Amino acid sequence: MDFLISEEQKAIAATARKIGEEYGLDYWREKDAKKAFPREIWKAICDAGLCGVALPEEYGGSGLGMLEMALIVENLAAGGGGSTVGQLFMINPIFGGVSISRFGTKEMKRDLLPKIISGEINCCMALTEPDAGSNSLELRTFATRDGNGWRVNGRKIWITGVEAAAKMLIVARTKKVEESKRRTEGLSMFMVDVERKGLTFAPIEKLGTNTLSSCNVYFDDVRVEGNELVGSVDGGWYELLDVLNTERIVTTAGLVGTSELAIRLAVDYAKERKVFGKTPIGAYQGLQFPLAQAWAENECARVMNHKAASLFDRGLPYGSESNVAKLIGAQAAAAATERAMQTMGGMGYAKESHLERLWRDCRLFRFAPIAEEMILNFIAGQNLGLPRSY
Ligand SMILES: Cc1cc2nc3c(=O)[nH]c(=O)nc-3n(C[C@H](O)[C@H](O)[C@H](O)COP(=O)(O)OP(=O)(O)OC[C@H]3O[C@@H](n4cnc5c(N)ncnc54)[C@H](O)[C@@H]3O)c2cc1C
């Protein structure tokens, strides 16, 4: 087992850190306040070739792997962006890039991958529905056969990045549950234009991750062409899982970078701040221990996430590792931002300290893209062999 990062990987991580720090905390505070897509940094990321790091070389990518992508996201997040950087990679190289490069047609790869890699277009993915959250197999959005294509009807919720996206990966039923042998049968994925007759959306007011709006999406008889199918008809569930498990790797990487950043902000503050006499507050163990605990948990999440990414890159099963890394990474980030805020007292509550954004944003990832209870269900079933309660 090799835990060492190669010289090439160090250089990629350093490039990401440089871009992350060049834009820095003030850039993100401004974008958060304006609820604006972080176009400038995304352009810089794409121009440096970081969006396409794990996508095929023949379409403009670097042909490297998820480990390199995790290193990039960690460093951009730690450089100032925090956990929402993971979402930027989720919507583009994962929802767009992984789905197309693994399951898309040749034409789709040729037409869309270069545009995703260069940042010319953004993507998003529509899976969650009002009545199908953690239980994705309950989704009801239906694609009915119509000539050589389909007509889609239904509703999605919480779809992130729609307003900035040109393409949407839709997950829909193409066969009714009642007519399928198993509930995992009868799902399909489609890559469609966001601007299309019958497809409408409206943003939801939310707590954080403000630079990427999340929307209710409505499909009213939306025409989908035959060549917009991604993967197989009715066999989309297992293909979707590959997309979702890589999504977990970038999510965790964003959280790992967030913890690192929050702890650094708190430590810098605690070394300077004196309340009683000459002793800086950072000398108090009551403040040190929780930060040290969060640091330790974060390092475990980082290593487990790198393991998940390395397994994926070698074509080996990585579901357990990516789930465990996401579970611990989200908890560590919640603890790190919470304890960093406590360390900074009132200053931690002020917008100027940046912590409140990191704290708000990372809260999301304890229940999305998969809730920690569902990860524990997965571990109990898959790793411990316990019976299901639901
Ligand atoms: C800001 C934001 C952005 C998002 N972006 C996207 C996106 O881009 N695309 C997309 O498709 N979706 C997106 N989502 C949806 C997200 O993936 C879901 O919110 C998440 O999967 C949880 O589903 P839910 O909210 O319906 O919660 P529910 O499934 O209703 O769960 C509620 C609670 O019940 C618990 N629970 C449910 N079942 C069990 C069980 N069997 N055992 C124990 N506990 C259980 C859950 O763990 C959770 O704590 C986003 C959500 C948010 C809030």
Side-chain angles (χ1 to χ4, degrees):
M1 194 178 265
D2 186 0
F3 288 103
L4 298 178
I5 300 294
S6 71
E7 289 308 313
E8 186 188 13
Q9 288 163 337
K10 278 185 201 161
I12 291 169
T15 303
R17 180 64 72 124
K18 188 160 170 280
I19 294 173
E21 287 177 351
E22 257 167 32
Y23 283 84
L25 287 158
D26 290 338
Y27 171 82
W28 285 97
R29 184 176 58 198
E30 192 190 317
K31 291 285 163 189
D32 177 77
K34 289 185 178 156
K35 299 191 177 175
F37 186 89
R39 286 192 190 285
E40 302 79 5
I41 194 169
W42 187 243
K43 184 174 184 314
I45 290 166
C46 294
D47 287 351
L50 303 184
C51 169
V53 70
L55 295 172
E57 283 175 284
E58 59 180 308
Y59 302 108
S62 306
L64 297 169
M66 284 305 296
L67 179 55
E68 285 77 11
M69 201 188 288
L71 290 168
I72 289 166
V73 175
E74 273 173 34
N75 280 283
L76 287 166
S83 52
T84 205
V85 171
Q87 290 181 301
L88 275 172
F89 277 75
M90 229 184 251
I91 59 176
N92 288 322
I94 302 290
F95 296 160
V98 171
S99 67
I100 294 172
S101 64
R102 285 175 91 87
F103 309 110
T105 61
K106 255 209 159 85
E107 293 70 43
M108 229 178 240
K109 289 179 192 170
R110 200 196 49 221
D111 292 349
L112 297 180
L113 287 179
K115 291 182 185 158
I116 293 170
I117 290 167
S118 69
E120 187 184 330
I121 62 166
N122 289 304
C123 303
C124 61
M125 181 184 68
L127 168 65
T128 307
E129 298 184 2
D131 295 320
S134 300
N135 190 359
S136 307
L137 290 172
E138 275 302 307
L139 69 84
R140 294 283 174 222
T141 294
F142 205 86
T144 312
R145 265 286 179 197
D146 179 29
N148 66 348
W150 289 266
R151 290 263 165 202
V152 177
N153 285 285
R155 180 184 166 193
K156 300 281 180 182
I157 191 169
W158 288 119
I159 308 314
T160 299
V162 186
E163 287 181 302
K167 289 280 175 183
M168 177 185 286
L169 184 70
I170 303 176
V171 186
R173 279 222 158 264
T174 32
K175 199 186 215 181
K176 289 192 178 130
V177 188
E178 306 81 73
E179 290 163 13
S180 307
K181 285 195 209 95
R182 290 179 305 277
R183 287 197 324 140
T184 49
E185 198 185 292
L187 290 164
S188 308
M189 299 193 285
F190 305 97
M191 187 62 79
V192 308
D193 297 331
V194 169
E195 243 178 70
R196 184 161 294 185
K197 193 163 172 271
L199 196 164
T200 51
F201 49 87
I204 303 167
E205 283 293 316
K206 57 178 180 170
L207 174 71
T209 58
N210 287 333
T211 60
L212 290 168
S213 68
S214 301
C215 292
N216 279 306
V217 176
Y218 307 90
F219 305 107
D220 182 10
D221 234 13
V222 175
R223 169 76 189 169
V224 173
E225 301 303 331
N227 62 5
E228 291 178 319
L229 174 75
V230 180
S232 56
V233 179
D234 293 340
W237 175 249
Y238 293 102
E239 294 155 355
L240 173 67
L241 288 186
D242 239 0
V243 179
L244 299 183
N245 280 326
T246 50
E247 171 193 40
R248 262 151 237 178
I249 294 173
V250 292
T251 302
T252 306
L255 292 163
V256 165
T258 300
S259 295
E260 193 184 315
L261 175 57
I263 293 170
R264 192 172 70 239
L265 291 174
V267 166
D268 288 350
Y269 184 85
K271 280 182 181 165
E272 297 298 324
R273 173 80 170 158
K274 297 182 185 81
V275 183
F276 290 94
K278 287 188 179 150
T279 313
I281 58 169
Y284 304 141
Q285 288 183 330
L287 295 184
Q288 285 180 2
F289 283 3
L291 288 176
Q293 179 77 31
W295 185 90
E297 285 167 16
N298 194 45
E299 289 309 302
C300 292
R302 190 196 301 270
V303 171
M304 185 56 101
N305 201 38
H306 289 181
K307 181 178 177 191
S310 304
L311 290 170
F312 174 87
D313 292 339
R314 287 167 204 189
L316 296 167
Y318 66 103
S320 270
E321 288 77 4
S322 66
N323 272 317
V324 170
K326 194 287 192 167
L327 174 75
I328 304 301
Q331 291 175 345
T337 51
E338 169 69 25
R339 289 310 307 190
M341 189 180 283
Q342 192 68 15
T343 302
M344 295 169 83
M347 215 41 216
Y349 207 65
K351 291 261 178 199
E352 71 173 273
S353 80
H354 304 285
L355 250 182
E356 59 85 33
R357 175 177 61 82
L358 302 179
W359 176 77
R360 273 188 283 123
D361 284 5
C362 79
R363 182 62 186 84
L364 168 65
F365 301 102
R366 289 191 61 194
F367 57 84
I370 179 174
E372 56 192 36
E373 291 81 5
M374 297 312 291
I375 296 183
L376 293 169
N377 278 327
F378 174 91
I379 295 171
Q382 298 283 319
N383 301 91
L384 309 184
L386 289 167
R388 273 172 85 135
S389 63
Y390 55 99

